[in-house]
Amino acid sequence: MDYSSPSPPMGASPSPEALMEQVQAQLAQAYAQEFIETLRGKCFEKCITKPGSSLSSGESSCISRCVDRYLEATGIISRSLFSQQR
């Protein structure tokens, strides 16, 4: 159970603002999970040639570069989308 936001007393319905905040928080969490899964899938597929118990130095640097590029590209796309909305 989530105790991070106060719940209304028994029988009372939450305010529209509280519901909107809760929905926004849930959406943000879902987007973050999807982002991480996509990132992990793409970088793993690209960088890990022979799965084993540890990463080689080449695999490790490939993963690092892949994550950096993916985050940078996502930031560029986000800034572009937000600037078009204004």
Side-chain angles (χ1 to χ4, degrees):
M1 178 170 243
D2 180 19
Y3 295 105
S4 61
S5 60
S7 57
M10 292 293 281
S13 48
S15 70
E17 295 83 14
L19 282 174
M20 184 61 77
E21 286 178 18
Q22 185 177 16
V23 168
Q24 287 174 337
Q26 289 174 346
L27 278 173
Q29 183 177 6
Y31 287 139
Q33 282 180 299
E34 182 179 350
F35 178 79
I36 290 169
E37 288 299 317
T38 300
L39 181 65
R40 181 176 21 195
K42 289 184 182 299
C43 292
F44 184 89
E45 185 177 308
K46 177 180 171 45
C47 298
I48 309 301
T49 54
K50 289 191 241 174
S53 61
S54 63
L55 295 175
S56 70
S57 62
E59 290 171 333
S60 182
S61 61
C62 179
I63 293 269
S64 182
R65 286 190 311 271
C66 179
V67 169
D68 288 345
R69 280 195 309 265
Y70 200 80
L71 289 173
E72 182 181 1
T74 301
I76 290 168
I77 292 167
S78 296
R79 285 190 297 277
S80 176
L81 289 173
F82 286 124
S83 70
Q84 288 176 1
Q85 289 179 349
R86 290 182 181 177

